[in-house]
């Protein structure tokens, strides 16, 4: 209290719950640069690792789907929510007609273009990486890329909305996950697809042995006691948290957020490497 006023002074503690600085070598996630995460999964140094293999299998999955579907449409478009450094886009530019990435961080978009010269060359024509919030996905695309009357929104365009490499899993809180997923369905529309890729709970022991314990720069040092394999949870001593998803969990959240009658949803799952993918085909958009 000073004079006539009262001040609420809020100190934000680090993830370890202490007011003391975290030791060097145990950084919190917020202090990481995008390249630290990228180098652990997508770099040449990471080739052959479990996460690198998962990414390769993910790329193959998307290529297979577009090869299967494209004959029935005039054009194919992919919309990736939280595309980060656009690693998926860099591998499938020849398989689709339009690539739209919506990312909250403008520095991440700038880095994506810096890393992938071919995407930068196609920017504004075939490739559109725009800053925006997942919970406003359709509005962001209409406002920044394609207005509602554009052929992108036509029933003759296959629109595939996706979140990959556990982007969905790290969204904070169920409310944000629900809102983002619902927007992805609305963006894809009738005849479209939504794909959500997460780390698979059954692979968490492998994740510990082959990924986490080899990358303390990502989450701090960890041991097997930090993992709850039954519930699919990991919490490191520096406060980093990760959840690995079961088929049942994904099925529940997908069905909960399908905007139309569930009879219009054709849902299947694929397990590839450390990941599980919910592949949602929107057969029809009939109100509940």
């Amino acid at each position: 209290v000073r004079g006539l006023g009262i001040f609420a002074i809020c100190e934000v503690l680090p993830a370890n719950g202490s007011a003391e600085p975290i030791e060097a070598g145990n950084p919190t996630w917020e202090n990481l640069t995008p390249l630290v995460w990228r180098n652990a999964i997508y770099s040449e140094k990471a080739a052959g690792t479990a996460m690198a293999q998962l990414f390769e299998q993910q790329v193959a999955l998307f290529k297979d789907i577009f090869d299967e579907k494209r004959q029935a449409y005039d054009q194919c478009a992919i919309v990736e929510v939280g595309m980060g450094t656009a690693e998926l886009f860099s591998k499938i530019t020849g398989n689709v007609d339009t690539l739209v990435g919506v990312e909250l961080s403008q520095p991440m978009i700038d880095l994506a273009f810096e890393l992938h010269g071919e995407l930068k060359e196609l920017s504004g024509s075939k490739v559109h990486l725009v800053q925006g919030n997942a919970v406003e996905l359709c509005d962001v695309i209409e406002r920044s890329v394609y207005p509602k009357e554009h052929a992108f929104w036509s029933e003759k365009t296959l629109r595939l909305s996706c979140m990959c490499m556990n982007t969905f899993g790290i969204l904070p809180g169920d409310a944000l996950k629900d809102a983002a997923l619902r927007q992805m369905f609305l963006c894809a529309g009738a005849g479209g697809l939504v794909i959500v890729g997460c780390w698979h709970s059954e692979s968490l022991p492998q994740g510990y042995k082959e990924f986490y314990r080899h990358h303390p720069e990502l989450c701090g040092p960890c041991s097997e006691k930090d993992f709850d394999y039954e519930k699919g949870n990991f919490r490191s001593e520096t406060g980093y948290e990760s959840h690995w998803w079961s088929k049942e969990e994904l099925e529940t959240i997908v069905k909960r957020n399908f905007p139309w009658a569930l009879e219009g949803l054709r849902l299947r799952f694929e397990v590839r490497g450390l990941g599980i993918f919910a592949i949602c085909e929107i057969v029809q958009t009939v109100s509940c």
Side-chain angles (χ1 to χ4, degrees):
V1 176
R2 297 203 176 194
L4 298 179
I6 182 170
F7 297 82
I9 302 170
C10 310
E11 182 178 4
V12 181
L13 302 182
N16 62 353
S18 167
E20 298 299 320
I22 297 175
E23 294 180 11
N26 295 335
T28 59
W29 181 253
E30 291 80 3
N31 291 331
L32 295 181
T33 66
L35 286 176
V36 173
W37 173 257
R38 184 179 186 274
N39 289 341
I41 297 180
Y42 304 111
S43 67
E44 291 184 7
K45 183 179 178 180
T49 64
M51 285 295 183
Q53 291 173 3
L54 168 59
F55 177 64
E56 292 175 2
Q57 292 165 339
Q58 173 187 277
V59 170
L61 172 64
F62 279 86
K63 287 183 176 181
D64 289 346
I65 288 174
F66 282 118
D67 287 346
E68 174 190 346
K69 295 287 186 180
R70 67 177 305 114
Q71 298 302 321
Y73 294 88
D74 289 351
Q75 57 180 328
C76 293
I78 183 170
V79 175
E80 185 176 1
V81 179
M83 89 288 159
T85 51
E87 304 302 324
L88 175 62
F89 283 8
S90 73
K91 301 296 184 183
I92 63 170
T93 52
N95 300 87
V96 295
D97 302 290
T98 302
L99 304 96
V100 177
V102 176
E103 167 63 46
L104 196 59
S105 167
Q106 184 61 47
M108 193 75 79
I109 295 172
D110 296 339
L111 180 59
F113 282 133
E114 180 182 336
L115 292 168
H116 305 294
E118 71 280 11
L119 297 182
K120 187 173 183 178
E121 290 178 6
L122 295 169
S123 178
S125 56
K126 184 173 185 173
V127 174
H128 305 271
L129 306 185
V130 298
Q131 185 179 18
N133 195 318
V135 302
E136 300 172 340
L137 179 63
C138 295
D139 287 343
V140 169
I141 297 174
E142 289 179 26
R143 184 172 61 248
S144 303
V145 188
Y146 296 120
K148 197 61 180 177
E149 63 273 11
H150 193 277
F152 172 86
W153 299 104
S154 165
E155 62 183 14
K156 295 181 180 179
T157 297
L158 172 66
R159 292 183 302 282
L160 187 158
S161 302
C162 65
M163 276 196 191
C164 303
M165 297 299 284
N166 207 43
T167 297
F168 184 76
I170 64 173
L171 290 178
D174 287 345
L176 183 54
K177 290 183 177 70
D178 288 347
L181 186 52
R182 192 173 183 87
Q183 279 288 304
M184 290 167 66
F185 277 121
L186 293 172
C187 178
L193 292 163
V194 170
I195 297 180
V196 179
C198 296
W199 308 151
H200 190 206
S201 59
E202 293 183 10
S203 297
L204 183 53
Q206 183 184 359
Y208 160 63
K209 294 172 185 175
E210 299 185 22
F211 185 70
Y212 285 122
R213 71 174 181 173
H214 298 294
H215 292 284
E217 75 278 11
L218 296 179
C219 58
C222 63
S223 62
E224 202 157 18
K225 66 178 176 57
D226 300 319
F227 293 79
D228 184 339
Y229 293 146
E230 183 177 349
K231 295 182 179 179
N233 293 325
F234 162 47
R235 179 180 173 86
S236 75
E237 61 187 63
T238 60
Y240 173 86
E241 295 182 354
S242 180
H243 179 67
W244 291 46
W245 292 69
S246 68
K247 172 183 174 292
E248 292 74 21
E249 287 177 305
L250 270 179
E251 183 173 12
T252 296
I253 198 167
V254 165
K255 289 183 174 179
R256 183 173 76 221
N257 289 289
F258 189 68
W260 306 285
L262 283 176
E263 290 77 10
L265 173 65
R266 185 177 297 152
L267 175 62
R268 64 185 175 92
F269 295 88
E270 284 200 26
V271 174
R272 298 203 178 196
L274 298 179
I276 182 169
F277 296 85
I279 302 171
C280 316
E281 185 173 358
I282 305 170
V283 180
Q284 59 183 0
T285 54
V286 178
S287 298
C288 300

